[in-house]
Amino acid sequence: MAARPAAVTARSAWHDVPRLQVRRFAAIAMAEAPALAEEILGEIRREYPHLPVVLDENGEPMALVGIRRAIEVFVQHLEHADYSTGRPTVPPGVFQDFGRGEGRGGRTLDSLQAIYRMGVRLAWRRFADIGQRVEIPPPAMYELVDAGYEYLDGLVDQSVRGYAEAAARQAGERLRLQRRLMELLLAERHRGDPADALAERAARIGWQLPEKVAVGVLLRPAREAVAPAVGQGVLLDLEYEQPRMVVPEPDAAGRGELLHRALGGWAGAIGPPVPLADAAKSLRWAEAAVRLMERRLLPAGEVLFCTEHTEALVLLQPEELIDDLALRCLAPLAHCGPTHGRRLAETLLAWLETRGGAPEVAARLGVHPQTVRYRLRQIRELWGDEIDDPDRRFELELVLRAQRLRGELGRGRTQPRRAPTGRRARSRPTTTRPE
């Protein structure tokens, strides 16, 4: 296999220019650098009056110093008489400061790059005039133009670095201020009126105080998961082990769908909408829902809305109280045996939910009506007249629903569908006594 020919480095046209001419060109350009810098800065001020003028310790505009220094470094590179070996080293400091200033001012780098291009054009006009006076050959001057635009790339690189530093600092400061706002917003109100402090902190990050909020608690899909793109209006703090989120005006049209798309791949819960001052209450419900998700008592692997799981949150949260109530209310089943006791409990719950006769309850449980009649007679024997007491029926339904949510009771074959709002649609015929 034949070896590849070695790369040929193009010879600089400045090698063919007599050294005396090169030195004359450099000397004149260096002498005129201050005036050229003044001309460039004056034109910049006319075209871009919004740019601030920052003075150095000597009272001289830093921009003027930077432009003059950039011209001098470029001209000094002529001593090598070879622009094909690489562009001059860009002087650091001032041009990074230009980029930082644009970043702090919330502006883009477009105007700054336009300014640099203007400076290169004005510099080229001056250098072209000097070249004619010194009689520099056209090929060398063309090469000087190319080198000038390469040099411009270096200036832009410096500015971009400064811009990125300023942007990172601003982002960090915004996150710090946002975290302080969320801490105040989600704190329990013990005393005093935090409204003024809340408004002040919100104003510092440009967050308009909403009338209502919903607070979310998220579960990370992975330790290094990318933050969900929830949008600027939603406050998000990823510093917590379980990140928190404050959603303004959660009932606004389309808000739920936007959150659903933004939180794809994440899991967690969003608390109910509450007035701004009650944000801590929404947080408590979201935390409660997440605890139930971790115990597999609520669906895992997605972001849930607490308003769609009210029954589970109400019945599964006060476990000790519900368990104590279950011991008292279901005491008649204690001697029925586990299997038969569970069947009686499922039948009792189906009757309490339907208030129907044997056919309705049988259809719900998927058994024969005669089986239901037998069980209902047993239930009446076990509870006696207490089964007709509205308060006792309410307690029984409450504890039996809680047991069903925990998976301790079956759901039957024809459970009612869940309405879009998360509430159960129930049919309650007028029959109130078991057969």
Side-chain angles (χ1 to χ4, degrees):
M1 185 174 179
R4 291 182 179 179
V8 178
T9 302
R11 177 183 175 86
S12 171
W14 284 87
H15 278 302
D16 300 326
V17 180
R19 297 299 297 168
L20 180 61
Q21 285 180 274
V22 173
R23 292 192 183 97
R24 284 182 60 198
F25 181 94
I28 295 172
M30 190 67 75
E32 296 186 10
L36 176 57
E38 291 275 7
E39 179 185 351
I40 291 173
L41 182 59
E43 190 64 26
I44 289 172
R45 285 177 173 172
R46 280 190 291 274
E47 291 290 330
Y48 301 93
H50 69 278
L51 292 177
V53 177
V54 181
L55 304 181
D56 64 9
E57 56 191 16
N58 298 318
E60 192 174 19
M62 289 184 64
L64 181 62
V65 175
I67 294 170
R68 185 171 64 237
R69 179 62 182 147
I71 295 170
E72 290 170 350
V73 169
F74 183 76
V75 172
Q76 286 169 356
H77 196 68
L78 274 174
E79 295 297 326
H80 301 291
D82 186 1
Y83 279 100
S84 66
T85 59
R87 63 194 180 202
T89 302
V90 177
V94 172
F95 293 92
Q96 284 189 355
D97 288 340
F98 290 166
R100 290 190 192 100
E102 293 299 280
R104 285 192 296 267
R107 297 180 292 271
T108 69
L109 284 172
D110 293 341
S111 61
L112 202 57
Q113 293 188 36
I115 289 170
Y116 290 168
R117 287 193 293 270
M118 177 194 299
V120 168
R121 287 199 306 272
L122 293 174
W124 164 242
R125 291 175 189 171
R126 181 67 64 95
F127 289 159
D129 178 66
I130 297 172
Q132 285 185 336
R133 283 184 268 160
V134 180
E135 298 182 347
I136 300 295
M141 294 303 298
Y142 298 153
E143 190 175 303
L144 191 66
V145 175
D146 292 337
Y149 280 101
E150 283 192 37
Y151 191 57
L152 172 65
D153 291 340
L155 301 182
V156 172
D157 289 344
Q158 292 279 354
S159 296
V160 168
R161 188 174 295 114
Y163 186 89
E165 290 173 3
R169 286 198 189 97
Q170 282 192 318
E173 178 65 8
R174 178 181 174 82
L175 285 175
R176 186 183 69 83
L177 294 173
Q178 179 175 294
R179 191 169 298 121
R180 290 181 59 194
L181 171 63
M182 291 181 67
E183 287 172 356
L184 181 62
L185 186 61
L186 300 178
E188 295 287 354
R189 305 290 187 252
H190 296 298
R191 61 179 181 272
D193 182 7
D196 291 341
L198 202 60
E200 186 271 333
R201 292 189 186 183
R204 293 187 67 180
I205 64 169
W207 194 65
Q208 186 175 358
L209 291 178
E211 291 186 7
K212 285 191 172 185
V213 295
V215 181
V217 175
L218 302 178
L219 297 171
R220 299 176 188 273
R223 174 60 60 179
E224 302 300 327
V226 177
V230 293
Q232 281 193 330
V234 177
L235 303 181
L236 179 65
D237 189 350
L238 295 176
E239 290 299 309
Y240 288 90
E241 182 65 25
Q242 294 180 341
R244 294 178 176 181
M245 176 175 62
V246 177
V247 182
E249 306 301 354
D251 292 327
R255 178 76 78 183
E257 181 60 29
L258 288 173
L259 287 174
H260 178 74
R261 290 200 301 268
L263 295 170
W266 285 71
I270 299 177
V274 295
L276 183 65
D278 294 329
K281 297 179 181 179
S282 184
L283 172 63
R284 284 201 302 272
W285 283 110
E287 290 174 333
V290 167
R291 287 194 294 270
L292 294 177
M293 292 174 69
E294 292 174 330
R295 293 170 53 198
R296 297 295 188 266
L297 295 176
L298 281 178
E302 58 182 305
V303 176
L304 306 179
F305 290 85
C306 288
T307 51
E308 297 178 1
H309 299 273
T310 304
E311 180 184 359
L313 287 166
V314 170
L315 296 182
L316 297 179
Q317 274 303 106
E319 291 187 81
E320 296 79 6
L321 294 176
I322 291 292
D323 289 343
D324 179 69
L325 183 61
L327 285 174
R328 290 185 281 111
C329 289
L330 302 181
L333 296 177
H335 303 292
C336 293
T339 302
H340 187 55
R342 185 178 68 254
R343 289 171 179 167
L344 289 178
E346 291 170 352
T347 302
L348 175 57
L349 178 57
W351 174 72
L352 290 169
E353 289 183 327
T354 63
R355 296 296 191 266
E360 291 87 354
V361 176
R364 192 177 186 87
L365 296 176
V367 298
H368 195 278
Q370 189 60 36
T371 301
V372 172
R373 292 187 182 97
Y374 169 72
R375 292 179 187 174
L376 289 176
R377 282 195 296 270
Q378 282 190 296
I379 288 171
R380 177 160 291 282
E381 291 173 2
L382 290 170
W383 271 275
D385 292 339
E386 289 187 6
I387 203 68
D388 297 320
D389 180 77
D391 291 335
R392 179 53 59 90
R393 287 203 304 266
F394 174 79
E395 291 177 342
L396 283 168
E397 185 172 355
L398 189 148
V399 297
L400 291 171
R401 278 176 174 265
Q403 290 187 347
R404 184 173 62 192
L405 287 167
R406 294 177 186 176
E408 297 171 9
L409 297 182
R411 291 185 173 272
R413 295 185 181 180
T414 56
Q415 285 294 302
R417 290 186 177 181
R418 186 173 298 276
T421 59
R423 299 184 179 90
R424 289 190 183 277
R426 295 186 294 180
S427 172
R428 291 186 177 274
T430 57
T431 302
T432 59
R433 295 175 59 88
E435 297 178 8

